[in-house]
Amino acid sequence: MRLVCRHISTFGKHSITNHNHVGRRFLHRDITVIGGNLIGAATAVALAASPAFAQRAISLVERRDIKFPQNLNEWSNRVYAITPGTRRFLVDQGIWQKLSPQQKHVCRRMVVWENQSDAALDFRGSDLVKDDEDVEPDTVCFNIDQHALLHAIYERLKELPNIELRSRTRITNIELPTLDRRSFPPEKVTFEIFDEPEKHTTDLLIAADGFNSQIRKLMGVKNVSWSYKQKSVIAVVDLDGLSDVDGTAFQRFLPEGVVALLPLGNKKACLIWSLVDDCAEQILKLSDEEFVETLNRHLTDTLDYNQGVMSVLHGTRLIMNSVGLRQSCSKVTPPRVVAVHPQTRASYPLGMGHAVNYVVPRTVLVGDSAHRVHPLAGQGANFGFADVECLVRNLAGAAFRGEQPGDMKALIAYERERQRALLPFQVAIEGLIHIYQNKNLPVVLARSLGVQILDSLPYLKHKIIQFASR
Ligand SMILES: Cc1cc2nc3c(=O)[nH]c(=O)nc-3n(C[C@H](O)[C@H](O)[C@H](O)COP(=O)(O)OP(=O)(O)OC[C@H]3O[C@@H](n4cnc5c(N)ncnc54)[C@H](O)[C@@H]3O)c2cc1C
């Protein structure tokens, strides 16, 4: 299924075509979004649907061809765990309504454990206090296929008359205004499109062009980044269904990475398994049978349990029980994988990235171009959607005050709000990675005890999951 590229000829009053003195045509768009995957396309929708920008010309530029599989109810190997907070945003944008019930599988429980001890955390949706009446009471997150989600965004985009979509489009010669704050208002952003004669201008350039962002490099902002030297091996697998595999997500921390299964219903799950580069390469080369066997070993093996830590945990459990502190997860029953779906094994490189600034005059970063996180928390896209909500809210507020889309005040407010929300998360995710990679006895003991105690404190668990699902 191919989405036909729409070139809208009539725009609102702010779309202007000009000629300069040498006769070159200038095409102006009020706002241009670069990158038409989940976050860029959602940005274009949120802007175009906002009453503040109803009369503005918005352009969405994507270099790829935008294509969808014939059957959008089938699961591919890229599945996103979408939080209730993101769901609210998607509902407000009219996107959620485009997803059929089969395309959003409700996850009601999340079990997290490790390989050095049996300490486990059991997050249940029923522990959460719901502030959204439309969400089933025990929902932790919704698992949604990437194609279905992107298709829903593009279906909504088609309904909005003030978006011009340009797919298979390469932009070149991008010129951003100088950082000289004395030139006020800053000059407009200009760029060209490969093989086209016109010069394009825009008041605000929104970069949603992913973690390798070309626009971020042009902005000259510092980007703190590193590779984990790991790859995420992904696949669709079948489970034997002896435990609650259709409603529970399982995640096991191992010294060489994290293995996770997101439930998809009908005893299917999406595998997300981070492994050091060499291991990932080897695992991808295994036959289906060897792959399933290796995966089951990593999910179920108890050979690495540290007996010293286990006896301390046992003693602590008895003391906790005697004072009425009961763990909700006394024993993890990991699912057994019975098959891997053909042609669904693939891998993605993993890295961390944090742009020190998200904005310069007339240019702003959203999604992975601004921040990239390890998928262990299933948050990258959720963070990106939260960026979009925050950016469009700040821009709309500025528009109602009579400010132009590229004005710095609203952009800086966006940057502050998002960095304040995101940095603690990024630090926590890094902390978790390091704590779980550590095999030293005191560290294993401390984290196992911490996890065991936390699992018996519903109030704290509730706070953690509420924080993560905003
Ligand atoms: C294995 C794995 C599992 C994950 N699971 C989850 C999960 O469960 N939940 C979750 O929230 N997140 C998850 N994430 C993170 C999530 O995939 C990303 O955070 C999200 O896809 C980022 O979206 P984006 O639109 O910002 O960037 P991208 O998806 O990278 O999109 C960038 C787009 O910009 C286009 N582009 C780039 N340069 C140009 C240019 N010059 N001109 C025009 N177009 C351009 C590209 O073609 C692309 O379409 C996971 C990530 C991985 C690797």
PDB file of all heavy atoms in Angstrom, residues 120-151:
ATOM      1  N   ALA A 120      12.407 -10.042  41.919  1.00  0.00           N
ATOM      2  CA  ALA A 120      11.644  -9.602  40.739  1.00  0.00           C
ATOM      3  C   ALA A 120      10.701  -8.464  41.102  1.00  0.00           C
ATOM      4  O   ALA A 120      10.275  -8.329  42.243  1.00  0.00           O
ATOM      5  CB  ALA A 120      10.840 -10.773  40.196  1.00  0.00           C
ATOM      6  N   LEU A 121      10.393  -7.666  40.089  1.00  0.00           N
ATOM      7  CA  LEU A 121       9.400  -6.601  40.261  1.00  0.00           C
ATOM      8  C   LEU A 121       8.182  -6.941  39.433  1.00  0.00           C
ATOM      9  O   LEU A 121       8.314  -7.335  38.269  1.00  0.00           O
ATOM     10  CB  LEU A 121       9.970  -5.280  39.747  1.00  0.00           C
ATOM     11  CG  LEU A 121      10.737  -4.418  40.723  1.00  0.00           C
ATOM     12  CD1 LEU A 121      11.358  -3.252  39.982  1.00  0.00           C
ATOM     13  CD2 LEU A 121       9.826  -3.905  41.827  1.00  0.00           C
ATOM     14  N   ASP A 122       7.024  -6.768  40.025  1.00  0.00           N
ATOM     15  CA  ASP A 122       5.797  -7.123  39.330  1.00  0.00           C
ATOM     16  C   ASP A 122       4.901  -5.886  39.299  1.00  0.00           C
ATOM     17  O   ASP A 122       4.326  -5.492  40.309  1.00  0.00           O
ATOM     18  CB  ASP A 122       5.122  -8.253  40.139  1.00  0.00           C
ATOM     19  CG  ASP A 122       3.919  -8.814  39.430  1.00  0.00           C
ATOM     20  OD1 ASP A 122       3.513  -8.246  38.397  1.00  0.00           O
ATOM     21  OD2 ASP A 122       3.380  -9.833  39.909  1.00  0.00           O
ATOM     22  N   PHE A 123       4.837  -5.244  38.122  1.00  0.00           N
ATOM     23  CA  PHE A 123       3.982  -4.053  37.976  1.00  0.00           C
ATOM     24  C   PHE A 123       2.652  -4.501  37.396  1.00  0.00           C
ATOM     25  O   PHE A 123       2.605  -5.125  36.332  1.00  0.00           O
ATOM     26  CB  PHE A 123       4.617  -3.052  37.010  1.00  0.00           C
ATOM     27  CG  PHE A 123       5.889  -2.438  37.502  1.00  0.00           C
ATOM     28  CD1 PHE A 123       7.112  -2.843  36.986  1.00  0.00           C
ATOM     29  CD2 PHE A 123       5.879  -1.442  38.466  1.00  0.00           C
ATOM     30  CE1 PHE A 123       8.292  -2.270  37.424  1.00  0.00           C
ATOM     31  CE2 PHE A 123       7.057  -0.869  38.906  1.00  0.00           C
ATOM     32  CZ  PHE A 123       8.261  -1.280  38.389  1.00  0.00           C
ATOM     33  N   ARG A 124       1.598  -4.159  38.094  1.00  0.00           N
ATOM     34  CA  ARG A 124       0.279  -4.528  37.576  1.00  0.00           C
ATOM     35  C   ARG A 124      -0.529  -3.275  37.304  1.00  0.00           C
ATOM     36  O   ARG A 124      -0.529  -2.339  38.121  1.00  0.00           O
ATOM     37  CB  ARG A 124      -0.488  -5.382  38.587  1.00  0.00           C
ATOM     38  CG  ARG A 124       0.068  -6.790  38.679  1.00  0.00           C
ATOM     39  CD  ARG A 124      -0.511  -7.532  39.863  1.00  0.00           C
ATOM     40  NE  ARG A 124       0.269  -8.730  40.122  1.00  0.00           N
ATOM     41  CZ  ARG A 124      -0.105  -9.956  39.771  1.00  0.00           C
ATOM     42  NH1 ARG A 124      -1.249 -10.152  39.175  1.00  0.00           N
ATOM     43  NH2 ARG A 124       0.662 -10.983  40.035  1.00  0.00           N
ATOM     44  N   GLY A 125      -1.246  -3.291  36.202  1.00  0.00           N
ATOM     45  CA  GLY A 125      -2.094  -2.146  35.861  1.00  0.00           C
ATOM     46  C   GLY A 125      -3.129  -1.902  36.941  1.00  0.00           C
ATOM     47  O   GLY A 125      -3.528  -0.766  37.196  1.00  0.00           O
ATOM     48  N   SER A 126      -3.552  -3.001  37.612  1.00  0.00           N
ATOM     49  CA  SER A 126      -4.589  -2.838  38.631  1.00  0.00           C
ATOM     50  C   SER A 126      -4.069  -2.033  39.819  1.00  0.00           C
ATOM     51  O   SER A 126      -4.849  -1.515  40.619  1.00  0.00           O
ATOM     52  CB  SER A 126      -5.096  -4.203  39.090  1.00  0.00           C
ATOM     53  OG  SER A 126      -3.991  -5.021  39.399  1.00  0.00           O
ATOM     54  N   ASP A 127      -2.717  -1.895  39.952  1.00  0.00           N
ATOM     55  CA  ASP A 127      -2.160  -1.085  41.044  1.00  0.00           C
ATOM     56  C   ASP A 127      -2.271   0.410  40.748  1.00  0.00           C
ATOM     57  O   ASP A 127      -2.045   1.251  41.607  1.00  0.00           O
ATOM     58  CB  ASP A 127      -0.667  -1.389  41.243  1.00  0.00           C
ATOM     59  CG  ASP A 127      -0.435  -2.802  41.745  1.00  0.00           C
ATOM     60  OD1 ASP A 127      -1.372  -3.357  42.340  1.00  0.00           O
ATOM     61  OD2 ASP A 127       0.670  -3.325  41.528  1.00  0.00           O
ATOM     62  N   LEU A 128      -2.544   0.736  39.479  1.00  0.00           N
ATOM     63  CA  LEU A 128      -2.545   2.145  39.090  1.00  0.00           C
ATOM     64  C   LEU A 128      -3.888   2.791  39.369  1.00  0.00           C
ATOM     65  O   LEU A 128      -4.935   2.185  39.179  1.00  0.00           O
ATOM     66  CB  LEU A 128      -2.274   2.268  37.586  1.00  0.00           C
ATOM     67  CG  LEU A 128      -0.839   2.119  37.138  1.00  0.00           C
ATOM     68  CD1 LEU A 128      -0.777   1.982  35.627  1.00  0.00           C
ATOM     69  CD2 LEU A 128      -0.045   3.337  37.573  1.00  0.00           C
ATOM     70  N   VAL A 129      -3.829   4.062  39.766  1.00  0.00           N
ATOM     71  CA  VAL A 129      -5.073   4.823  39.891  1.00  0.00           C
ATOM     72  C   VAL A 129      -5.268   5.497  38.539  1.00  0.00           C
ATOM     73  O   VAL A 129      -4.374   6.187  38.047  1.00  0.00           O
ATOM     74  CB  VAL A 129      -4.945   5.886  40.997  1.00  0.00           C
ATOM     75  CG1 VAL A 129      -6.203   6.739  41.058  1.00  0.00           C
ATOM     76  CG2 VAL A 129      -4.684   5.219  42.329  1.00  0.00           C
ATOM     77  N   LYS A 130      -6.403   5.254  37.915  1.00  0.00           N
ATOM     78  CA  LYS A 130      -6.590   5.762  36.559  1.00  0.00           C
ATOM     79  C   LYS A 130      -7.143   7.189  36.569  1.00  0.00           C
ATOM     80  O   LYS A 130      -8.059   7.501  37.305  1.00  0.00           O
ATOM     81  CB  LYS A 130      -7.569   4.871  35.784  1.00  0.00           C
ATOM     82  CG  LYS A 130      -6.934   3.583  35.365  1.00  0.00           C
ATOM     83  CD  LYS A 130      -6.045   3.808  34.179  1.00  0.00           C
ATOM     84  CE  LYS A 130      -4.958   2.837  33.912  1.00  0.00           C
ATOM     85  NZ  LYS A 130      -4.438   1.928  34.811  1.00  0.00           N
ATOM     86  N   ASP A 131      -6.506   8.054  35.734  1.00  0.00           N
ATOM     87  CA  ASP A 131      -7.085   9.385  35.613  1.00  0.00           C
ATOM     88  C   ASP A 131      -7.757   9.536  34.246  1.00  0.00           C
ATOM     89  O   ASP A 131      -8.190  10.598  33.869  1.00  0.00           O
ATOM     90  CB  ASP A 131      -6.019  10.466  35.817  1.00  0.00           C
ATOM     91  CG  ASP A 131      -4.783  10.227  34.970  1.00  0.00           C
ATOM     92  OD1 ASP A 131      -4.792   9.274  34.176  1.00  0.00           O
ATOM     93  OD2 ASP A 131      -3.822  11.009  35.106  1.00  0.00           O
ATOM     94  N   ASP A 132      -7.815   8.443  33.490  1.00  0.00           N
ATOM     95  CA  ASP A 132      -8.425   8.495  32.169  1.00  0.00           C
ATOM     96  C   ASP A 132      -9.510   7.432  32.115  1.00  0.00           C
ATOM     97  O   ASP A 132      -9.240   6.231  32.101  1.00  0.00           O
ATOM     98  CB  ASP A 132      -7.332   8.211  31.120  1.00  0.00           C
ATOM     99  CG  ASP A 132      -7.833   8.474  29.717  1.00  0.00           C
ATOM    100  OD1 ASP A 132      -9.059   8.480  29.532  1.00  0.00           O
ATOM    101  OD2 ASP A 132      -6.983   8.665  28.833  1.00  0.00           O
ATOM    102  N   GLU A 133     -10.763   7.889  32.089  1.00  0.00           N
ATOM    103  CA  GLU A 133     -11.873   6.935  32.221  1.00  0.00           C
ATOM    104  C   GLU A 133     -12.006   6.000  31.030  1.00  0.00           C
ATOM    105  O   GLU A 133     -12.576   4.925  31.129  1.00  0.00           O
ATOM    106  CB  GLU A 133     -13.169   7.705  32.425  1.00  0.00           C
ATOM    107  CG  GLU A 133     -13.205   8.298  33.809  1.00  0.00           C
ATOM    108  CD  GLU A 133     -14.519   8.948  34.135  1.00  0.00           C
ATOM    109  OE1 GLU A 133     -15.374   9.022  33.246  1.00  0.00           O
ATOM    110  OE2 GLU A 133     -14.638   9.373  35.286  1.00  0.00           O
ATOM    111  N   ASP A 134     -11.468   6.417  29.867  1.00  0.00           N
ATOM    112  CA  ASP A 134     -11.624   5.587  28.675  1.00  0.00           C
ATOM    113  C   ASP A 134     -10.663   4.410  28.634  1.00  0.00           C
ATOM    114  O   ASP A 134     -10.795   3.519  27.819  1.00  0.00           O
ATOM    115  CB  ASP A 134     -11.388   6.424  27.406  1.00  0.00           C
ATOM    116  CG  ASP A 134     -12.453   7.469  27.255  1.00  0.00           C
ATOM    117  OD1 ASP A 134     -13.538   7.256  27.810  1.00  0.00           O
ATOM    118  OD2 ASP A 134     -12.186   8.498  26.614  1.00  0.00           O
ATOM    119  N   VAL A 135      -9.630   4.457  29.499  1.00  0.00           N
ATOM    120  CA  VAL A 135      -8.637   3.384  29.482  1.00  0.00           C
ATOM    121  C   VAL A 135      -9.104   2.279  30.416  1.00  0.00           C
ATOM    122  O   VAL A 135      -9.535   2.550  31.532  1.00  0.00           O
ATOM    123  CB  VAL A 135      -7.260   3.923  29.941  1.00  0.00           C
ATOM    124  CG1 VAL A 135      -6.244   2.809  30.042  1.00  0.00           C
ATOM    125  CG2 VAL A 135      -6.764   4.983  28.974  1.00  0.00           C
ATOM    126  N   GLU A 136      -9.022   1.023  29.940  1.00  0.00           N
ATOM    127  CA  GLU A 136      -9.415  -0.096  30.795  1.00  0.00           C
ATOM    128  C   GLU A 136      -8.641  -0.007  32.108  1.00  0.00           C
ATOM    129  O   GLU A 136      -7.449   0.328  32.101  1.00  0.00           O
ATOM    130  CB  GLU A 136      -9.080  -1.422  30.105  1.00  0.00           C
ATOM    131  CG  GLU A 136     -10.041  -1.773  29.003  1.00  0.00           C
ATOM    132  CD  GLU A 136      -9.671  -3.102  28.380  1.00  0.00           C
ATOM    133  OE1 GLU A 136      -9.502  -4.074  29.128  1.00  0.00           O
ATOM    134  OE2 GLU A 136      -9.535  -3.137  27.154  1.00  0.00           O
ATOM    135  N   PRO A 137      -9.301  -0.327  33.230  1.00  0.00           N
ATOM    136  CA  PRO A 137      -8.713  -0.004  34.533  1.00  0.00           C
ATOM    137  C   PRO A 137      -7.348  -0.621  34.796  1.00  0.00           C
ATOM    138  O   PRO A 137      -6.563  -0.061  35.527  1.00  0.00           O
ATOM    139  CB  PRO A 137      -9.753  -0.508  35.539  1.00  0.00           C
ATOM    140  CG  PRO A 137     -10.727  -1.300  34.768  1.00  0.00           C
ATOM    141  CD  PRO A 137     -10.626  -0.918  33.329  1.00  0.00           C
ATOM    142  N   ASP A 138      -7.029  -1.763  34.201  1.00  0.00           N
ATOM    143  CA  ASP A 138      -5.764  -2.400  34.577  1.00  0.00           C
ATOM    144  C   ASP A 138      -4.684  -2.285  33.490  1.00  0.00           C
ATOM    145  O   ASP A 138      -3.785  -3.099  33.414  1.00  0.00           O
ATOM    146  CB  ASP A 138      -6.003  -3.864  34.952  1.00  0.00           C
ATOM    147  CG  ASP A 138      -6.767  -4.607  33.870  1.00  0.00           C
ATOM    148  OD1 ASP A 138      -7.155  -3.955  32.882  1.00  0.00           O
ATOM    149  OD2 ASP A 138      -6.944  -5.822  33.991  1.00  0.00           O
ATOM    150  N   THR A 139      -4.755  -1.243  32.672  1.00  0.00           N
ATOM    151  CA  THR A 139      -3.804  -1.116  31.557  1.00  0.00           C
ATOM    152  C   THR A 139      -2.447  -0.565  32.012  1.00  0.00           C
ATOM    153  O   THR A 139      -2.384   0.475  32.664  1.00  0.00           O
ATOM    154  CB  THR A 139      -4.384  -0.157  30.490  1.00  0.00           C
ATOM    155  OG1 THR A 139      -5.646  -0.652  30.097  1.00  0.00           O
ATOM    156  CG2 THR A 139      -3.461  -0.043  29.288  1.00  0.00           C
ATOM    157  N   VAL A 140      -1.368  -1.258  31.657  1.00  0.00           N
ATOM    158  CA  VAL A 140      -0.022  -0.703  31.871  1.00  0.00           C
ATOM    159  C   VAL A 140       0.405   0.053  30.618  1.00  0.00           C
ATOM    160  O   VAL A 140       0.882   1.172  30.676  1.00  0.00           O
ATOM    161  CB  VAL A 140       1.005  -1.823  32.184  1.00  0.00           C
ATOM    162  CG1 VAL A 140       2.420  -1.279  32.214  1.00  0.00           C
ATOM    163  CG2 VAL A 140       0.693  -2.478  33.521  1.00  0.00           C
ATOM    164  N   CYS A 141       0.241  -0.574  29.451  1.00  0.00           N
ATOM    165  CA  CYS A 141       0.557   0.095  28.182  1.00  0.00           C
ATOM    166  C   CYS A 141      -0.162  -0.616  27.048  1.00  0.00           C
ATOM    167  O   CYS A 141      -0.786  -1.656  27.266  1.00  0.00           O
ATOM    168  CB  CYS A 141       2.070   0.107  27.933  1.00  0.00           C
ATOM    169  SG  CYS A 141       2.779  -1.525  27.703  1.00  0.00           S
ATOM    170  N   PHE A 142      -0.093  -0.025  25.866  1.00  0.00           N
ATOM    171  CA  PHE A 142      -0.699  -0.627  24.675  1.00  0.00           C
ATOM    172  C   PHE A 142       0.432  -1.003  23.726  1.00  0.00           C
ATOM    173  O   PHE A 142       1.280  -0.150  23.428  1.00  0.00           O
ATOM    174  CB  PHE A 142      -1.607   0.382  23.969  1.00  0.00           C
ATOM    175  CG  PHE A 142      -2.726   0.886  24.823  1.00  0.00           C
ATOM    176  CD1 PHE A 142      -2.541   1.985  25.655  1.00  0.00           C
ATOM    177  CD2 PHE A 142      -3.968   0.260  24.802  1.00  0.00           C
ATOM    178  CE1 PHE A 142      -3.568   2.458  26.450  1.00  0.00           C
ATOM    179  CE2 PHE A 142      -4.998   0.730  25.587  1.00  0.00           C
ATOM    180  CZ  PHE A 142      -4.802   1.824  26.420  1.00  0.00           C
ATOM    181  N   ASN A 143       0.436  -2.223  23.248  1.00  0.00           N
ATOM    182  CA  ASN A 143       1.455  -2.614  22.274  1.00  0.00           C
ATOM    183  C   ASN A 143       0.883  -2.438  20.879  1.00  0.00           C
ATOM    184  O   ASN A 143      -0.167  -3.002  20.554  1.00  0.00           O
ATOM    185  CB  ASN A 143       1.889  -4.058  22.527  1.00  0.00           C
ATOM    186  CG  ASN A 143       2.530  -4.177  23.897  1.00  0.00           C
ATOM    187  OD1 ASN A 143       3.069  -3.192  24.421  1.00  0.00           O
ATOM    188  ND2 ASN A 143       2.465  -5.350  24.490  1.00  0.00           N
ATOM    189  N   ILE A 144       1.573  -1.631  20.078  1.00  0.00           N
ATOM    190  CA  ILE A 144       1.044  -1.253  18.763  1.00  0.00           C
ATOM    191  C   ILE A 144       2.132  -1.430  17.720  1.00  0.00           C
ATOM    192  O   ILE A 144       3.281  -1.018  17.932  1.00  0.00           O
ATOM    193  CB  ILE A 144       0.535   0.213  18.772  1.00  0.00           C
ATOM    194  CG1 ILE A 144      -0.483   0.408  19.891  1.00  0.00           C
ATOM    195  CG2 ILE A 144      -0.062   0.598  17.419  1.00  0.00           C
ATOM    196  CD1 ILE A 144      -1.058   1.791  19.999  1.00  0.00           C
ATOM    197  N   ASP A 145       1.769  -2.007  16.592  1.00  0.00           N
ATOM    198  CA  ASP A 145       2.743  -2.206  15.523  1.00  0.00           C
ATOM    199  C   ASP A 145       3.105  -0.859  14.894  1.00  0.00           C
ATOM    200  O   ASP A 145       2.253   0.013  14.721  1.00  0.00           O
ATOM    201  CB  ASP A 145       2.146  -3.124  14.458  1.00  0.00           C
ATOM    202  CG  ASP A 145       3.193  -3.547  13.462  1.00  0.00           C
ATOM    203  OD1 ASP A 145       3.406  -2.828  12.460  1.00  0.00           O
ATOM    204  OD2 ASP A 145       3.826  -4.581  13.704  1.00  0.00           O
ATOM    205  N   GLN A 146       4.391  -0.725  14.519  1.00  0.00           N
ATOM    206  CA  GLN A 146       4.835   0.563  13.968  1.00  0.00           C
ATOM    207  C   GLN A 146       4.069   0.938  12.694  1.00  0.00           C
ATOM    208  O   GLN A 146       3.739   2.115  12.497  1.00  0.00           O
ATOM    209  CB  GLN A 146       6.327   0.526  13.655  1.00  0.00           C
ATOM    210  CG  GLN A 146       6.732  -0.510  12.628  1.00  0.00           C
ATOM    211  CD  GLN A 146       8.072  -0.199  11.974  1.00  0.00           C
ATOM    212  OE1 GLN A 146       8.649   0.831  12.206  1.00  0.00           O
ATOM    213  NE2 GLN A 146       8.560  -1.118  11.165  1.00  0.00           N
ATOM    214  N   HIS A 147       3.760  -0.051  11.828  1.00  0.00           N
ATOM    215  CA  HIS A 147       3.078   0.285  10.571  1.00  0.00           C
ATOM    216  C   HIS A 147       1.665   0.782  10.863  1.00  0.00           C
ATOM    217  O   HIS A 147       1.200   1.735  10.243  1.00  0.00           O
ATOM    218  CB  HIS A 147       2.993  -0.942   9.655  1.00  0.00           C
ATOM    219  CG  HIS A 147       4.338  -1.439   9.221  1.00  0.00           C
ATOM    220  ND1 HIS A 147       5.198  -0.674   8.483  1.00  0.00           N
ATOM    221  CD2 HIS A 147       4.972  -2.619   9.432  1.00  0.00           C
ATOM    222  CE1 HIS A 147       6.300  -1.362   8.246  1.00  0.00           C
ATOM    223  NE2 HIS A 147       6.199  -2.542   8.826  1.00  0.00           N
ATOM    224  N   ALA A 148       0.985   0.091  11.796  1.00  0.00           N
ATOM    225  CA  ALA A 148      -0.394   0.480  12.113  1.00  0.00           C
ATOM    226  C   ALA A 148      -0.412   1.903  12.693  1.00  0.00           C
ATOM    227  O   ALA A 148      -1.270   2.722  12.343  1.00  0.00           O
ATOM    228  CB  ALA A 148      -0.998  -0.503  13.106  1.00  0.00           C
ATOM    229  N   LEU A 149       0.567   2.189  13.558  1.00  0.00           N
ATOM    230  CA  LEU A 149       0.584   3.509  14.199  1.00  0.00           C
ATOM    231  C   LEU A 149       0.892   4.608  13.180  1.00  0.00           C
ATOM    232  O   LEU A 149       0.223   5.647  13.126  1.00  0.00           O
ATOM    233  CB  LEU A 149       1.617   3.499  15.348  1.00  0.00           C
ATOM    234  CG  LEU A 149       1.696   4.739  16.213  1.00  0.00           C
ATOM    235  CD1 LEU A 149       0.331   5.121  16.775  1.00  0.00           C
ATOM    236  CD2 LEU A 149       2.668   4.525  17.383  1.00  0.00           C
ATOM    237  N   LEU A 150       1.888   4.360  12.339  1.00  0.00           N
ATOM    238  CA  LEU A 150       2.249   5.376  11.345  1.00  0.00           C
ATOM    239  C   LEU A 150       1.104   5.574  10.349  1.00  0.00           C
ATOM    240  O   LEU A 150       0.790   6.701   9.953  1.00  0.00           O
ATOM    241  CB  LEU A 150       3.534   4.969  10.613  1.00  0.00           C
ATOM    242  CG  LEU A 150       4.143   6.068   9.743  1.00  0.00           C
ATOM    243  CD1 LEU A 150       4.589   7.261  10.591  1.00  0.00           C
ATOM    244  CD2 LEU A 150       5.347   5.559   8.946  1.00  0.00           C
ATOM    245  N   HIS A 151       0.447   4.461   9.985  1.00  0.00           N
ATOM    246  CA  HIS A 151      -0.674   4.550   9.053  1.00  0.00           C
ATOM    247  C   HIS A 151      -1.789   5.402   9.659  1.00  0.00           C
ATOM    248  O   HIS A 151      -2.379   6.252   8.979  1.00  0.00           O
ATOM    249  CB  HIS A 151      -1.176   3.132   8.737  1.00  0.00           C
ATOM    250  CG  HIS A 151      -2.271   3.096   7.725  1.00  0.00           C
ATOM    251  ND1 HIS A 151      -3.588   2.957   8.066  1.00  0.00           N
ATOM    252  CD2 HIS A 151      -2.246   3.214   6.371  1.00  0.00           C
ATOM    253  CE1 HIS A 151      -4.326   2.974   6.969  1.00  0.00           C
ATOM    254  NE2 HIS A 151      -3.528   3.125   5.930  1.00  0.00           N
TER     255      HIS A 151
END
